[in-house]
Amino acid sequence: MTSLASQFSCHDDYDPNALAVDLGRQLILDTLTPITGIEHIPLRDALGRILAEPVISPIDVPAHDNSAMDGYGLRGDDLAADGETRLSVIGSAFAGHPFDGPVGPGQAVRIMTGAKLPPGVDTVVMQEVVRATDEQVTVPAGQRKGQNVRRAGEDLRAGVAALAAGRLIRPAELGLIASLGIGEVGVRRRLRVAIFSTGDEVISIGTPAREGQIYDSNRYTLFGMLTRLGFDVIDIGVVRDDPASLETTFREAASIADAVITSGGVSVGEADFTRAMMGKLGEVLFWKIAMKPGRPMAFGRIGKDDNGAWLFGLPGNPVAVMVTFYQFARPALLRLAGIDPLPEQPLLQAACVTPIRKAPGRTEFLRGVLFVEDGEWKVRLTGAQGSGILSSMTDANCFIVLGPAQGSVAAGDPVAVQILDGIV
Ligand code: AMP
Ligand code: MG
């Protein structure tokens, strides 16, 4: 394998000391290939998992022509060119209880939504527009042959891939697979991600905090973000800023996980000793990203072959951890996990009601609240935006993304917004 450093330096814009967000994300993505390993599991268990093989439809869906309405089934050729059509009603077709026998010229059946069309019937007239007795139905003018009918195979044809490999299984996919009568699917095994925090000042909850110590929040936000993505999280705890313990922990983490995410220890003052130690374990690049928050970040590969893992060394500040996770680690881990294509992260435009001071040159991810006022999308800042102020994230429903070219924002200016919540 060529070294990451030489691979990345082919890009003209590659500057590890001022790396653009988009380029950094792309370089990471280009480096990663999905894990292998398939599990065959019952359909319900597959929610949130990623298809490892396509789902091939064994049947036409729907399996037969059926009615899209409650009404009367008839032969389209019987409809009068203009004026009413009178037909005799010879029976009923219900969903699950078909009318057996053909429907001849001049005849109709009462038919319910989902009922199979009897032989001869190709058209359904909705019940609200007819006049009917038990024996006869009068259909008004203006009906079209073939209307209100769902054709066999119009949703899916037998033998074709209903869902491609790489698809994330959401509620709609569960339903679609079930509609094919398939009760078991082949999914990628879950991605295993090990996490740990670094820092002599960081302690875990359950330990009383002494002067100068802080509770570890990063392992909790990371646990939450990773669990939401459906990954297995291996929590290794807090590791002291000591090269020997860090080295042992990195080796152990790399041998049990596909990816390792750490927080802290990559800032300028601390990077030197982690850098020296990591040189022994594999190849890790220390980047300064042209972004705020989250300037320092490490990316690379530690450990060997099957005992190796991808490393994301995120900064220590709690908001920087979340921002760098969403912008770099999330797409990378989704690719590793086998999602294909990667889901788009749409940017919306909203009028920013809070003025923001900014110098061009870097990307800023501010925490905002998106709302509607007078029928228009607007966004405001959540308040203080320090990279350690986690309440700026708890109060937010979006990131305001100010790109490298953008300068200060005046109240009312349009800005790009990335929404944090989705409905599925
Ligand atoms: P570092 O990147 O290690 O220099 O840390 C930057 C800042 O983030 C420092 O104020 C740390 O105390 C803080 N920090 C580091 N790790 C954590 C953590 N796991 N939870 C909360 N804050 C942290
Ligand atoms: Mg630290």
Side-chain angles (χ1 to χ4, degrees), residues 265-312:
V266 291
S267 56
V268 176
E270 297 181 310
D272 290 344
F273 86 94
T274 13
R275 196 190 305 248
M277 182 267 303
M278 289 208 188
K280 287 198 263 173
L281 296 178
E283 190 192 4
V284 177
L285 303 173
F286 286 76
W287 285 341
K288 292 192 186 78
I289 315 268
M291 72 187 283
K292 184 183 166 188
R295 200 160 105 91
M297 198 182 91
F299 169 71
R301 178 103 191 141
I302 49 173
K304 296 254 149 48
D305 309 320
D306 282 356
N307 279 332
W310 294 102
L311 170 76
F312 298 84

mmCIF file of all heavy atoms in Angstrom, residues 265-312:
data_model
loop_
_atom_site.group_PDB
_atom_site.id
_atom_site.type_symbol
_atom_site.label_atom_id
_atom_site.label_comp_id
_atom_site.label_asym_id
_atom_site.label_seq_id
_atom_site.Cartn_x
_atom_site.Cartn_y
_atom_site.Cartn_z
ATOM 1 N N GLY A 265 -5.775 15.364 22.592
ATOM 2 C CA GLY A 265 -4.414 14.917 22.328
ATOM 3 C C GLY A 265 -3.885 15.204 20.936
ATOM 4 O O GLY A 265 -2.775 14.793 20.610
ATOM 5 N N VAL A 266 -4.656 15.908 20.098
ATOM 6 C CA VAL A 266 -4.134 16.202 18.761
ATOM 7 C C VAL A 266 -3.824 17.689 18.574
ATOM 8 O O VAL A 266 -3.394 18.113 17.511
ATOM 9 C CB VAL A 266 -5.092 15.723 17.634
ATOM 10 C CG1 VAL A 266 -5.134 14.212 17.586
ATOM 11 C CG2 VAL A 266 -6.493 16.306 17.798
ATOM 12 N N SER A 267 -4.082 18.486 19.630
ATOM 13 C CA SER A 267 -3.808 19.916 19.504
ATOM 14 C C SER A 267 -2.297 20.145 19.484
ATOM 15 O O SER A 267 -1.518 19.248 19.840
ATOM 16 C CB SER A 267 -4.451 20.678 20.652
ATOM 17 O OG SER A 267 -4.003 20.149 21.869
ATOM 18 N N VAL A 268 -1.902 21.347 19.087
ATOM 19 C CA VAL A 268 -0.487 21.616 18.824
ATOM 20 C C VAL A 268 0.409 21.175 19.985
ATOM 21 O O VAL A 268 1.397 20.476 19.792
ATOM 22 C CB VAL A 268 -0.276 23.122 18.516
ATOM 23 C CG1 VAL A 268 1.202 23.424 18.341
ATOM 24 C CG2 VAL A 268 -1.056 23.492 17.265
ATOM 25 N N GLY A 269 0.033 21.527 21.198
ATOM 26 C CA GLY A 269 0.879 21.206 22.343
ATOM 27 C C GLY A 269 1.017 19.718 22.591
ATOM 28 O O GLY A 269 2.031 19.263 23.121
ATOM 29 N N GLU A 270 -0.006 18.951 22.215
ATOM 30 C CA GLU A 270 -0.012 17.529 22.573
ATOM 31 C C GLU A 270 0.343 16.618 21.413
ATOM 32 O O GLU A 270 0.664 15.453 21.604
ATOM 33 C CB GLU A 270 -1.396 17.140 23.106
ATOM 34 C CG GLU A 270 -1.737 17.872 24.374
ATOM 35 C CD GLU A 270 -3.110 17.462 24.901
ATOM 36 O OE1 GLU A 270 -4.079 17.478 24.120
ATOM 37 O OE2 GLU A 270 -3.194 17.126 26.083
ATOM 38 N N ALA A 271 0.259 17.161 20.190
ATOM 39 C CA ALA A 271 0.399 16.298 19.017
ATOM 40 C C ALA A 271 1.781 15.659 18.925
ATOM 41 O O ALA A 271 1.911 14.541 18.447
ATOM 42 C CB ALA A 271 0.096 17.078 17.749
ATOM 43 N N ASP A 272 2.781 16.362 19.427
ATOM 44 C CA ASP A 272 4.131 15.871 19.191
ATOM 45 C C ASP A 272 4.363 14.482 19.763
ATOM 46 O O ASP A 272 4.906 13.615 19.109
ATOM 47 C CB ASP A 272 5.151 16.866 19.761
ATOM 48 C CG ASP A 272 5.164 18.147 18.922
ATOM 49 O OD1 ASP A 272 4.634 18.087 17.776
ATOM 50 O OD2 ASP A 272 5.653 19.177 19.402
ATOM 51 N N PHE A 273 3.922 14.297 21.013
ATOM 52 C CA PHE A 273 4.223 12.973 21.567
ATOM 53 C C PHE A 273 3.283 11.890 21.024
ATOM 54 O O PHE A 273 3.696 10.762 20.826
ATOM 55 C CB PHE A 273 4.324 13.012 23.103
ATOM 56 C CG PHE A 273 3.058 12.855 23.851
ATOM 57 C CD1 PHE A 273 2.664 11.596 24.284
ATOM 58 C CD2 PHE A 273 2.261 13.958 24.155
ATOM 59 C CE1 PHE A 273 1.494 11.439 25.012
ATOM 60 C CE2 PHE A 273 1.099 13.786 24.872
ATOM 61 C CZ PHE A 273 0.701 12.536 25.296
ATOM 62 N N THR A 274 2.045 12.261 20.704
ATOM 63 C CA THR A 274 1.170 11.247 20.080
ATOM 64 C C THR A 274 1.697 10.903 18.692
ATOM 65 O O THR A 274 1.685 9.753 18.269
ATOM 66 C CB THR A 274 -0.291 11.739 19.923
ATOM 67 O OG1 THR A 274 -0.348 13.132 20.149
ATOM 68 C CG2 THR A 274 -1.220 11.038 20.852
ATOM 69 N N ARG A 275 2.198 11.900 18.004
ATOM 70 C CA ARG A 275 2.710 11.686 16.659
ATOM 71 C C ARG A 275 3.874 10.681 16.675
ATOM 72 O O ARG A 275 3.886 9.736 15.872
ATOM 73 C CB ARG A 275 3.204 13.029 16.114
ATOM 74 C CG ARG A 275 3.412 13.063 14.617
ATOM 75 C CD ARG A 275 4.139 14.342 14.224
ATOM 76 N NE ARG A 275 3.467 15.533 14.694
ATOM 77 C CZ ARG A 275 2.877 16.428 13.899
ATOM 78 N NH1 ARG A 275 2.877 16.242 12.604
ATOM 79 N NH2 ARG A 275 2.312 17.505 14.407
ATOM 80 N N ALA A 276 4.804 10.872 17.599
ATOM 81 C CA ALA A 276 5.964 9.980 17.678
ATOM 82 C C ALA A 276 5.512 8.554 17.980
ATOM 83 O O ALA A 276 5.955 7.589 17.353
ATOM 84 C CB ALA A 276 6.906 10.478 18.770
ATOM 85 N N MET A 277 4.570 8.442 18.911
ATOM 86 C CA MET A 277 4.096 7.118 19.309
ATOM 87 C C MET A 277 3.354 6.446 18.145
ATOM 88 O O MET A 277 3.524 5.260 17.882
ATOM 89 C CB MET A 277 3.191 7.312 20.529
ATOM 90 C CG MET A 277 2.630 6.090 21.140
ATOM 91 S SD MET A 277 1.045 5.718 20.461
ATOM 92 C CE MET A 277 0.190 7.239 20.810
ATOM 93 N N MET A 278 2.560 7.221 17.420
ATOM 94 C CA MET A 278 1.773 6.621 16.346
ATOM 95 C C MET A 278 2.619 6.203 15.161
ATOM 96 O O MET A 278 2.235 5.309 14.410
ATOM 97 C CB MET A 278 0.711 7.604 15.896
ATOM 98 C CG MET A 278 -0.336 7.745 16.957
ATOM 99 S SD MET A 278 -1.837 8.167 16.215
ATOM 100 C CE MET A 278 -2.820 8.507 17.639
ATOM 101 N N GLY A 279 3.763 6.860 15.002
ATOM 102 C CA GLY A 279 4.676 6.460 13.935
ATOM 103 C C GLY A 279 5.021 4.984 14.049
ATOM 104 O O GLY A 279 5.222 4.294 13.053
ATOM 105 N N LYS A 280 5.049 4.467 15.271
ATOM 106 C CA LYS A 280 5.379 3.050 15.499
ATOM 107 C C LYS A 280 4.208 2.132 15.141
ATOM 108 O O LYS A 280 4.387 0.964 14.852
ATOM 109 C CB LYS A 280 5.708 2.828 16.983
ATOM 110 C CG LYS A 280 7.051 3.390 17.386
ATOM 111 C CD LYS A 280 7.498 2.748 18.699
ATOM 112 C CE LYS A 280 7.150 3.641 19.878
ATOM 113 N NZ LYS A 280 7.394 3.021 21.176
ATOM 114 N N LEU A 281 3.004 2.673 15.234
ATOM 115 C CA LEU A 281 1.807 1.819 15.089
ATOM 116 C C LEU A 281 1.297 1.718 13.664
ATOM 117 O O LEU A 281 0.588 0.787 13.305
ATOM 118 C CB LEU A 281 0.666 2.380 15.944
ATOM 119 C CG LEU A 281 0.866 2.390 17.441
ATOM 120 C CD1 LEU A 281 -0.331 3.025 18.108
ATOM 121 C CD2 LEU A 281 1.055 0.971 17.947
ATOM 122 N N GLY A 282 1.629 2.710 12.853
ATOM 123 C CA GLY A 282 1.093 2.706 11.494
ATOM 124 C C GLY A 282 1.382 4.039 10.859
ATOM 125 O O GLY A 282 2.445 4.613 11.069
ATOM 126 N N GLU A 283 0.411 4.547 10.085
ATOM 127 C CA GLU A 283 0.623 5.862 9.481
ATOM 128 C C GLU A 283 -0.535 6.784 9.831
ATOM 129 O O GLU A 283 -1.671 6.550 9.430
ATOM 130 C CB GLU A 283 0.733 5.765 7.960
ATOM 131 C CG GLU A 283 1.206 7.100 7.393
ATOM 132 C CD GLU A 283 1.082 7.218 5.888
ATOM 133 O OE1 GLU A 283 0.553 6.284 5.234
ATOM 134 O OE2 GLU A 283 1.496 8.267 5.371
ATOM 135 N N VAL A 284 -0.233 7.791 10.596
ATOM 136 C CA VAL A 284 -1.275 8.733 11.001
ATOM 137 C C VAL A 284 -0.839 10.133 10.603
ATOM 138 O O VAL A 284 0.284 10.544 10.874
ATOM 139 C CB VAL A 284 -1.549 8.654 12.518
ATOM 140 C CG1 VAL A 284 -2.574 9.692 12.930
ATOM 141 C CG2 VAL A 284 -2.025 7.255 12.895
ATOM 142 N N LEU A 285 -1.749 10.841 9.926
ATOM 143 C CA LEU A 285 -1.457 12.210 9.497
ATOM 144 C C LEU A 285 -2.116 13.182 10.453
ATOM 145 O O LEU A 285 -3.266 12.962 10.872
ATOM 146 C CB LEU A 285 -2.007 12.426 8.086
ATOM 147 C CG LEU A 285 -1.474 11.442 7.041
ATOM 148 C CD1 LEU A 285 -2.201 11.639 5.716
ATOM 149 C CD2 LEU A 285 0.028 11.609 6.871
ATOM 150 N N PHE A 286 -1.397 14.206 10.797
ATOM 151 C CA PHE A 286 -1.957 15.244 11.676
ATOM 152 C C PHE A 286 -2.291 16.451 10.825
ATOM 153 O O PHE A 286 -1.416 17.034 10.199
ATOM 154 C CB PHE A 286 -0.954 15.592 12.785
ATOM 155 C CG PHE A 286 -0.882 14.520 13.824
ATOM 156 C CD1 PHE A 286 -0.192 13.336 13.567
ATOM 157 C CD2 PHE A 286 -1.522 14.658 15.044
ATOM 158 C CE1 PHE A 286 -0.140 12.322 14.511
ATOM 159 C CE2 PHE A 286 -1.479 13.643 15.997
ATOM 160 C CZ PHE A 286 -0.781 12.479 15.728
ATOM 161 N N TRP A 287 -3.562 16.778 10.798
ATOM 162 C CA TRP A 287 -4.024 17.860 9.933
ATOM 163 C C TRP A 287 -4.434 19.073 10.759
ATOM 164 O O TRP A 287 -4.959 18.923 11.876
ATOM 165 C CB TRP A 287 -5.261 17.411 9.145
ATOM 166 C CG TRP A 287 -4.977 16.473 8.020
ATOM 167 C CD1 TRP A 287 -3.782 16.262 7.392
ATOM 168 C CD2 TRP A 287 -5.934 15.612 7.383
ATOM 169 N NE1 TRP A 287 -3.932 15.332 6.392
ATOM 170 C CE2 TRP A 287 -5.244 14.912 6.364
ATOM 171 C CE3 TRP A 287 -7.299 15.361 7.567
ATOM 172 C CZ2 TRP A 287 -5.878 13.998 5.531
ATOM 173 C CZ3 TRP A 287 -7.925 14.454 6.740
ATOM 174 C CH2 TRP A 287 -7.221 13.770 5.730
ATOM 175 N N LYS A 288 -4.244 20.239 10.137
ATOM 176 C CA LYS A 288 -4.920 21.432 10.646
ATOM 177 C C LYS A 288 -5.962 21.775 9.602
ATOM 178 O O LYS A 288 -5.627 22.136 8.471
ATOM 179 C CB LYS A 288 -3.934 22.583 10.850
ATOM 180 C CG LYS A 288 -2.949 22.314 11.972
ATOM 181 C CD LYS A 288 -2.187 23.577 12.347
ATOM 182 C CE LYS A 288 -1.105 23.269 13.372
ATOM 183 N NZ LYS A 288 0.099 22.652 12.737
ATOM 184 N N ILE A 289 -7.202 21.608 9.973
ATOM 185 C CA ILE A 289 -8.284 21.842 9.017
ATOM 186 C C ILE A 289 -8.645 23.321 9.056
ATOM 187 O O ILE A 289 -8.694 23.914 10.144
ATOM 188 C CB ILE A 289 -9.530 21.004 9.386
ATOM 189 C CG1 ILE A 289 -9.145 19.563 9.742
ATOM 190 C CG2 ILE A 289 -10.552 21.059 8.267
ATOM 191 C CD1 ILE A 289 -9.147 18.582 8.664
ATOM 192 N N ALA A 290 -8.927 23.876 7.890
ATOM 193 C CA ALA A 290 -9.330 25.287 7.824
ATOM 194 C C ALA A 290 -10.798 25.373 8.221
ATOM 195 O O ALA A 290 -11.691 25.560 7.389
ATOM 196 C CB ALA A 290 -9.097 25.837 6.425
ATOM 197 N N MET A 291 -11.054 25.165 9.498
ATOM 198 C CA MET A 291 -12.433 25.180 9.977
ATOM 199 C C MET A 291 -12.497 25.629 11.428
ATOM 200 O O MET A 291 -11.502 25.642 12.140
ATOM 201 C CB MET A 291 -13.086 23.796 9.840
ATOM 202 C CG MET A 291 -12.559 22.761 10.829
ATOM 203 S SD MET A 291 -13.194 21.091 10.510
ATOM 204 C CE MET A 291 -14.867 21.203 11.171
ATOM 205 N N LYS A 292 -13.702 25.992 11.851
ATOM 206 C CA LYS A 292 -13.938 26.353 13.239
ATOM 207 C C LYS A 292 -15.344 25.898 13.617
ATOM 208 O O LYS A 292 -16.272 26.208 12.872
ATOM 209 C CB LYS A 292 -13.828 27.870 13.388
ATOM 210 C CG LYS A 292 -13.952 28.371 14.817
ATOM 211 C CD LYS A 292 -13.892 29.873 14.826
ATOM 212 C CE LYS A 292 -14.363 30.395 16.181
ATOM 213 N NZ LYS A 292 -14.493 31.837 16.194
ATOM 214 N N PRO A 293 -15.518 25.173 14.701
ATOM 215 C CA PRO A 293 -14.472 24.660 15.569
ATOM 216 C C PRO A 293 -13.843 23.409 14.956
ATOM 217 O O PRO A 293 -14.359 22.877 13.984
ATOM 218 C CB PRO A 293 -15.249 24.312 16.843
ATOM 219 C CG PRO A 293 -16.596 23.905 16.348
ATOM 220 C CD PRO A 293 -16.864 24.756 15.145
ATOM 221 N N GLY A 294 -12.749 22.948 15.570
ATOM 222 C CA GLY A 294 -12.215 21.640 15.178
ATOM 223 C C GLY A 294 -10.997 21.701 14.305
ATOM 224 O O GLY A 294 -10.873 20.910 13.381
ATOM 225 N N ARG A 295 -10.084 22.604 14.565
ATOM 226 C CA ARG A 295 -8.944 22.742 13.677
ATOM 227 C C ARG A 295 -8.028 21.520 13.633
ATOM 228 O O ARG A 295 -7.758 21.002 12.562
ATOM 229 C CB ARG A 295 -8.157 23.993 14.074
ATOM 230 C CG ARG A 295 -7.270 24.507 13.002
ATOM 231 C CD ARG A 295 -6.956 25.954 13.300
ATOM 232 N NE ARG A 295 -5.603 26.105 13.793
ATOM 233 C CZ ARG A 295 -4.550 26.332 13.023
ATOM 234 N NH1 ARG A 295 -4.705 26.405 11.725
ATOM 235 N NH2 ARG A 295 -3.366 26.474 13.540
ATOM 236 N N PRO A 296 -7.552 21.003 14.773
ATOM 237 C CA PRO A 296 -6.638 19.866 14.638
ATOM 238 C C PRO A 296 -7.412 18.554 14.510
ATOM 239 O O PRO A 296 -8.452 18.374 15.130
ATOM 240 C CB PRO A 296 -5.867 19.892 15.963
ATOM 241 C CG PRO A 296 -6.807 20.492 16.945
ATOM 242 C CD PRO A 296 -7.745 21.391 16.187
ATOM 243 N N MET A 297 -6.896 17.666 13.676
ATOM 244 C CA MET A 297 -7.516 16.349 13.544
ATOM 245 C C MET A 297 -6.480 15.382 12.997
ATOM 246 O O MET A 297 -5.622 15.780 12.210
ATOM 247 C CB MET A 297 -8.700 16.418 12.588
ATOM 248 C CG MET A 297 -9.640 15.249 12.732
ATOM 249 S SD MET A 297 -10.999 15.332 11.552
ATOM 250 C CE MET A 297 -10.309 14.426 10.226
ATOM 251 N N ALA A 298 -6.543 14.146 13.435
ATOM 252 C CA ALA A 298 -5.620 13.143 12.905
ATOM 253 C C ALA A 298 -6.415 12.083 12.168
ATOM 254 O O ALA A 298 -7.528 11.743 12.560
ATOM 255 C CB ALA A 298 -4.825 12.511 14.051
ATOM 256 N N PHE A 299 -5.842 11.585 11.083
ATOM 257 C CA PHE A 299 -6.481 10.504 10.341
ATOM 258 C C PHE A 299 -5.406 9.544 9.879
ATOM 259 O O PHE A 299 -4.335 9.975 9.444
ATOM 260 C CB PHE A 299 -7.243 11.040 9.120
ATOM 261 C CG PHE A 299 -7.686 9.939 8.193
ATOM 262 C CD1 PHE A 299 -8.709 9.079 8.570
ATOM 263 C CD2 PHE A 299 -7.043 9.732 6.978
ATOM 264 C CE1 PHE A 299 -9.092 8.025 7.739
ATOM 265 C CE2 PHE A 299 -7.427 8.684 6.143
ATOM 266 C CZ PHE A 299 -8.455 7.834 6.519
ATOM 267 N N GLY A 300 -5.697 8.273 9.949
ATOM 268 C CA GLY A 300 -4.713 7.324 9.440
ATOM 269 C C GLY A 300 -5.102 5.896 9.739
ATOM 270 O O GLY A 300 -6.250 5.595 10.059
ATOM 271 N N ARG A 301 -4.088 5.040 9.620
ATOM 272 C CA ARG A 301 -4.311 3.608 9.809
ATOM 273 C C ARG A 301 -3.339 3.153 10.886
ATOM 274 O O ARG A 301 -2.144 3.471 10.833
ATOM 275 C CB ARG A 301 -4.028 2.914 8.477
ATOM 276 C CG ARG A 301 -4.150 1.426 8.484
ATOM 277 C CD ARG A 301 -5.447 0.962 7.825
ATOM 278 N NE ARG A 301 -5.639 -0.452 8.100
ATOM 279 C CZ ARG A 301 -6.805 -1.012 8.362
ATOM 280 N NH1 ARG A 301 -7.896 -0.282 8.357
ATOM 281 N NH2 ARG A 301 -6.903 -2.292 8.617
ATOM 282 N N ILE A 302 -3.856 2.438 11.878
ATOM 283 C CA ILE A 302 -2.976 1.913 12.926
ATOM 284 C C ILE A 302 -3.112 0.401 12.981
ATOM 285 O O ILE A 302 -4.142 -0.151 12.575
ATOM 286 C CB ILE A 302 -3.320 2.513 14.318
ATOM 287 C CG1 ILE A 302 -4.823 2.422 14.589
ATOM 288 C CG2 ILE A 302 -2.836 3.948 14.423
ATOM 289 C CD1 ILE A 302 -5.207 2.822 15.993
ATOM 290 N N GLY A 303 -2.070 -0.257 13.461
ATOM 291 C CA GLY A 303 -2.092 -1.718 13.546
ATOM 292 C C GLY A 303 -1.875 -2.329 12.178
ATOM 293 O O GLY A 303 -1.805 -1.634 11.173
ATOM 294 N N LYS A 304 -1.770 -3.659 12.148
ATOM 295 C CA LYS A 304 -1.431 -4.347 10.904
ATOM 296 C C LYS A 304 -2.602 -5.191 10.408
ATOM 297 O O LYS A 304 -3.229 -5.901 11.179
ATOM 298 C CB LYS A 304 -0.231 -5.282 11.144
ATOM 299 C CG LYS A 304 1.056 -4.562 11.524
ATOM 300 C CD LYS A 304 2.054 -4.561 10.367
ATOM 301 C CE LYS A 304 2.932 -3.338 10.348
ATOM 302 N NZ LYS A 304 3.541 -2.979 11.621
ATOM 303 N N ASP A 305 -2.868 -5.127 9.097
ATOM 304 C CA ASP A 305 -3.810 -6.007 8.398
ATOM 305 C C ASP A 305 -5.103 -6.221 9.186
ATOM 306 O O ASP A 305 -5.803 -5.291 9.493
ATOM 307 C CB ASP A 305 -3.142 -7.348 8.047
ATOM 308 C CG ASP A 305 -1.813 -7.122 7.341
ATOM 309 O OD1 ASP A 305 -1.763 -6.206 6.498
ATOM 310 O OD2 ASP A 305 -0.833 -7.819 7.658
ATOM 311 N N ASP A 306 -5.345 -7.525 9.530
ATOM 312 C CA ASP A 306 -6.582 -7.841 10.238
ATOM 313 C C ASP A 306 -6.631 -7.239 11.636
ATOM 314 O O ASP A 306 -7.690 -7.089 12.225
ATOM 315 C CB ASP A 306 -6.748 -9.364 10.351
ATOM 316 C CG ASP A 306 -7.247 -9.940 9.031
ATOM 317 O OD1 ASP A 306 -7.525 -9.140 8.113
ATOM 318 O OD2 ASP A 306 -7.339 -11.180 8.931
ATOM 319 N N ASN A 307 -5.467 -6.951 12.173
ATOM 320 C CA ASN A 307 -5.424 -6.312 13.490
ATOM 321 C C ASN A 307 -5.354 -4.792 13.373
ATOM 322 O O ASN A 307 -5.029 -4.106 14.334
ATOM 323 C CB ASN A 307 -4.225 -6.804 14.294
ATOM 324 C CG ASN A 307 -4.519 -8.143 14.936
ATOM 325 O OD1 ASN A 307 -5.681 -8.451 15.216
ATOM 326 N ND2 ASN A 307 -3.493 -8.937 15.147
ATOM 327 N N GLY A 308 -5.643 -4.281 12.191
ATOM 328 C CA GLY A 308 -5.542 -2.838 11.964
ATOM 329 C C GLY A 308 -6.898 -2.174 12.006
ATOM 330 O O GLY A 308 -7.948 -2.830 11.973
ATOM 331 N N ALA A 309 -6.878 -0.867 12.106
ATOM 332 C CA ALA A 309 -8.127 -0.096 12.110
ATOM 333 C C ALA A 309 -7.832 1.304 11.591
ATOM 334 O O ALA A 309 -6.696 1.778 11.661
ATOM 335 C CB ALA A 309 -8.690 -0.020 13.529
ATOM 336 N N TRP A 310 -8.870 1.960 11.098
ATOM 337 C CA TRP A 310 -8.761 3.355 10.708
ATOM 338 C C TRP A 310 -8.863 4.213 11.959
ATOM 339 O O TRP A 310 -9.672 3.924 12.837
ATOM 340 C CB TRP A 310 -9.850 3.728 9.701
ATOM 341 C CG TRP A 310 -9.664 2.995 8.412
ATOM 342 C CD1 TRP A 310 -10.352 1.904 7.978
ATOM 343 C CD2 TRP A 310 -8.688 3.286 7.405
ATOM 344 N NE1 TRP A 310 -9.860 1.476 6.769
ATOM 345 C CE2 TRP A 310 -8.840 2.316 6.387
ATOM 346 C CE3 TRP A 310 -7.682 4.257 7.267
ATOM 347 C CZ2 TRP A 310 -8.039 2.297 5.244
ATOM 348 C CZ3 TRP A 310 -6.893 4.236 6.120
ATOM 349 C CH2 TRP A 310 -7.074 3.266 5.133
ATOM 350 N N LEU A 311 -8.048 5.233 12.004
ATOM 351 C CA LEU A 311 -8.072 6.093 13.186
ATOM 352 C C LEU A 311 -8.587 7.487 12.842
ATOM 353 O O LEU A 311 -8.149 8.092 11.854
ATOM 354 C CB LEU A 311 -6.664 6.244 13.775
ATOM 355 C CG LEU A 311 -6.631 7.326 14.867
ATOM 356 C CD1 LEU A 311 -7.245 6.811 16.155
ATOM 357 C CD2 LEU A 311 -5.234 7.852 15.100
ATOM 358 N N PHE A 312 -9.499 7.957 13.659
ATOM 359 C CA PHE A 312 -9.938 9.350 13.593
ATOM 360 C C PHE A 312 -9.589 9.977 14.932
ATOM 361 O O PHE A 312 -10.200 9.652 15.952
ATOM 362 C CB PHE A 312 -11.447 9.434 13.358
ATOM 363 C CG PHE A 312 -11.868 8.825 12.048
ATOM 364 C CD1 PHE A 312 -12.087 7.463 11.944
ATOM 365 C CD2 PHE A 312 -12.014 9.609 10.922
ATOM 366 C CE1 PHE A 312 -12.451 6.893 10.726
ATOM 367 C CE2 PHE A 312 -12.367 9.061 9.709
ATOM 368 C CZ PHE A 312 -12.587 7.685 9.608
#
